[in-house]
């Protein structure tokens, strides 16, 4: 069995340490991207629903799509606080019961009132961990 020359040992330690730091940086970037993406999903969902108020089925579909995207993000999130917040907002999007145009308008008004708070909740969850 060959041993590494003494000069190679410090280099190996530097490389291993660098890999750990690189993984930390990559993890931080992933968390940041997930946070931006989560708030973007809320914004995108509100934008979609805004143009669909006269089509209750399309509103229901857009809300379900936004909820599914948030649930998928929560499943992939390294940040458990973000995952919990994303699942919470997804549940709120899924809680709308759109049967007719009046329900669609009510949902749109609720989204307009609550979506900024939801985006802030998601952003705060990112800062919390």
């Amino acid at each position: 069995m060959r041993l590494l020359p003494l000069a190679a040992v410090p280099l190996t330690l530097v490389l291993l340490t660098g890999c750990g730091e690189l993984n930390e940086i990559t993890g931080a970037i992933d968390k940041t991207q997930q946070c931006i993406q989560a708030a973007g999903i809320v914004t995108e969902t509100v934008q979609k629903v805004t143009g669909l108020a006269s089509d209750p089925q399309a509103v229901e579909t857009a809300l379900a799509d936004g909820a599914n995207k948030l649930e998928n993000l929560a499943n992939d999130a390294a940040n458990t606080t973000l995952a919990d917040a994303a699942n919470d907002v997804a549940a709120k999007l899924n809680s709308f019961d759109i049967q007719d145009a009046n329900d669609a308008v009510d949902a749109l008004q609720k989204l307009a009132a609550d979506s900024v708070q939801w985006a802030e909740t998601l952003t705060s969850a990112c800062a919390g961990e």
Side-chain angles (χ1 to χ4, degrees):
M1 174 161 98
R2 287 183 81 194
L3 296 175
L4 288 174
L6 286 179
V9 173
L11 177 60
T12 302
L13 290 175
V14 168
L15 290 175
L16 290 175
T17 302
C19 289
E21 289 175 4
L22 181 60
N23 286 338
E24 286 180 30
I25 292 169
T26 302
I29 291 170
D30 289 344
K31 287 178 187 177
T32 301
Q33 287 175 337
Q34 289 172 337
C35 293
I36 292 168
Q37 185 180 6
I41 291 169
V42 172
T43 302
E44 175 186 331
T45 301
V46 171
Q47 288 173 344
K48 282 183 184 177
V49 171
T50 300
L52 302 172
S54 62
D55 185 351
Q57 182 59 45
V59 170
E60 183 86 23
T61 300
L63 292 171
D65 183 48
N68 287 336
K69 287 179 181 179
L70 284 170
E71 289 167 350
N72 290 336
L73 183 136
N75 290 337
D76 293 339
N79 178 331
T80 56
T81 306
L82 174 61
D84 291 344
N87 279 324
D88 183 52
V89 174
K92 290 174 182 174
L93 291 174
N94 277 326
S95 71
F96 289 102
D97 184 25
I98 312 295
Q99 299 297 319
D100 55 31
N102 287 333
D103 292 338
V105 170
D106 290 345
L108 184 61
Q109 290 173 345
K110 178 86 171 138
L111 283 173
D114 294 347
S115 62
V116 171
Q117 179 202 7
W118 296 343
E120 288 175 357
T121 297
L122 293 166
T123 304
S124 295
C126 294
E129 187 173 43

